Amino acid sequence: MNFPPRLIVLLKAAERITVLTGAGVSAESGVPTFRDAQTGLWAEFKPEELATPSAFRRNPRLVWEWYAWRRKLVAEAKPNAAHIALIEMEKRIPDFTLITQNVDDLHRRAGSVNVIELHGNITRTKCFDENLLMTTWADTGEVPPRCPRCGGLLRPDVVWFEEAMPEEETARAFGRSANCDVFLCIGTSSVVYPAASLPFEALENGAIVVEINTEPTQLTGKADYVLSGPAGILLPELIRTVWSDGGF
Ligand code: BV8
């Protein structure tokens, strides 16, 4: 793969790199993206129709079972070469931040350390009423299960559409996007806000923005560099080219 020589020079010189990932990074682990058509029981629903508090209030069983199905799928998935490449990058960059929209826990399972989970994590469960994390509950067969503290319904610890963003993570994400030398936007359709604003925050603050995607997005025309192709192929290649010290 021949990368733009200027990009290689910029990455070699970069002290501060911020990365934003979306579902495309997990696609090569077999985790369907939000753009992929839903299948089976969920074929008639769009994710945006299930990942909302109103959908949960309307049909808690359906939403809980959708997440249970995704949790099982994710548990059986393995981090792919893109997740691993980001760990290699983290080792080589003094000031590295990984921001993810993904709730699949694959960056953490791969070994990434400094991860900002903007939209929560599907492996965690919380009480819908108290918003408190729960690790154990009685299995009475009721779906969704109930909070052992208040009897409210349990739900996944993810940020649904129309729900407020986690303040601390969002502030950190904007701060790291506004203060980096290079911003890599990988495997995201850049349609969900406020996450989709992050690459523009980087651009406005003078960072070099690189998009890695298999398709064009609303960022493509604005990014400084656009690498078209699967993250699982391009990212390892990019790391090998920039840090050709072998070690990777
Ligand atoms: C909020 C967790 C306010 C749940 C998710 C305008 C401005 C500001 C806000 C809004 C607005 N219009 C509407 C809103 C509100 C809304 C929003 O953005 N809606 C969208 C639909 C327009 N935003 C919100 O509601 C957010 N909250 O704004 O709060 C507020 C304040 C106070 C009080 C109340 C409210 C909350 C948004 C969080 C939603 N939760 N996830 C769950 O996962 O179940 S979003 C979810 O969808 C993901 O986390 C991710 O963010 C998004 C999917 O996007 P991608 O990750 O990009 O995935 P996608 O499938 O779309 O694309 C995959 C890409 O990968 C593609 O480009 C493809 O080409 C590429 N690809 C595929 N294979 C590969 C690849 N690339 C590389 N390699 C490959 N192999």
Side-chain angles (χ1 to χ4, degrees):
M1 174 85 197
N2 293 322
F3 296 106
R6 178 88 186 113
L7 171 60
I8 302 305
V9 169
L10 288 165
L11 283 170
K12 278 186 192 297
E15 296 276 314
R16 305 168 302 165
I17 292 185
T18 296
V19 177
L20 172 66
T21 62
V25 157
S26 298
E28 291 156 86
S29 294
V31 179
T33 72
F34 277 69
R35 299 306 104 193
D36 291 335
Q38 295 252 87
T39 55
L41 290 176
W42 332 108
E44 63 190 280
F45 302 102
K46 282 209 218 100
E48 296 87 271
E49 292 163 343
L50 292 172
T52 69
S54 41
F56 186 77
R57 284 193 194 92
R58 197 169 45 247
N59 192 335
R61 183 186 187 96
L62 175 77
V63 174
W64 175 270
E65 289 183 336
W66 180 52
Y67 279 93
W69 172 76
R70 288 175 65 192
R71 224 191 319 269
K72 185 170 175 300
L73 189 139
V74 157
E76 288 159 2
K78 294 211 177 357
N80 67 64
H83 296 103
I84 307 301
L86 289 170
I87 294 165
E88 292 305 320
M89 192 182 283
E90 183 169 21
K91 286 180 192 161
R92 289 168 168 80
I93 296 294
D95 185 348
F96 180 90
T97 302
L98 173 57
I99 304 162
T100 189
Q101 301 172 84
N102 300 339
V103 298
D104 59 28
D105 204 40
L106 287 179
H107 284 303
R108 282 188 198 282
R109 276 179 43 201
S112 285
V113 177
N114 185 6
V115 186
I116 301 174
E117 292 178 323
L118 265 191
H119 295 157
N121 186 314
I122 200 170
T123 63
R124 294 193 301 262
T125 298
K126 66 181 182 183
C127 172
F128 183 75
D129 296 334
E130 302 169 297
N131 220 21
L132 294 176
L133 287 177
M134 290 296 150
T135 50
T136 57
W137 52 83
D139 181 2
T140 62
E142 189 181 357
V143 178
R146 291 203 171 264
C147 170
R149 281 170 46 99
C150 74
L153 294 178
L154 294 181
R155 55 163 286 182
D157 181 31
V158 298
V159 182
W160 279 332
F161 291 97
E162 297 114 49
E163 281 194 318
M165 295 291 290
E167 272 179 38
E168 199 255 327
E169 287 81 353
T170 306
R172 270 181 67 209
F174 275 89
R176 309 304 306 164
S177 301
N179 294 281
C180 62
D181 304 314
V182 180
F183 185 98
L184 293 162
C185 196
I186 310 170
T188 178
S189 58
S190 290
V191 296
V192 172
Y193 287 84
S197 314
L198 295 173
F200 296 97
E201 185 74 14
L203 276 172
E204 279 156 33
N205 286 277
I208 294 292
V209 171
V210 184
E211 180 177 52
I212 297 179
N213 201 310
T214 47
E215 310 279 338
T217 72
Q218 63 146 359
L219 175 66
T220 306
K222 310 265 188 340
D224 296 284
Y225 295 94
V226 176
L227 307 179
S228 300
I233 307 283
L234 289 179
L235 265 177
E237 270 302 298
L238 186 62
I239 310 277
R240 263 193 287 276
T241 307
V242 176
W243 289 284
S244 47
D245 53 6
F248 171 68

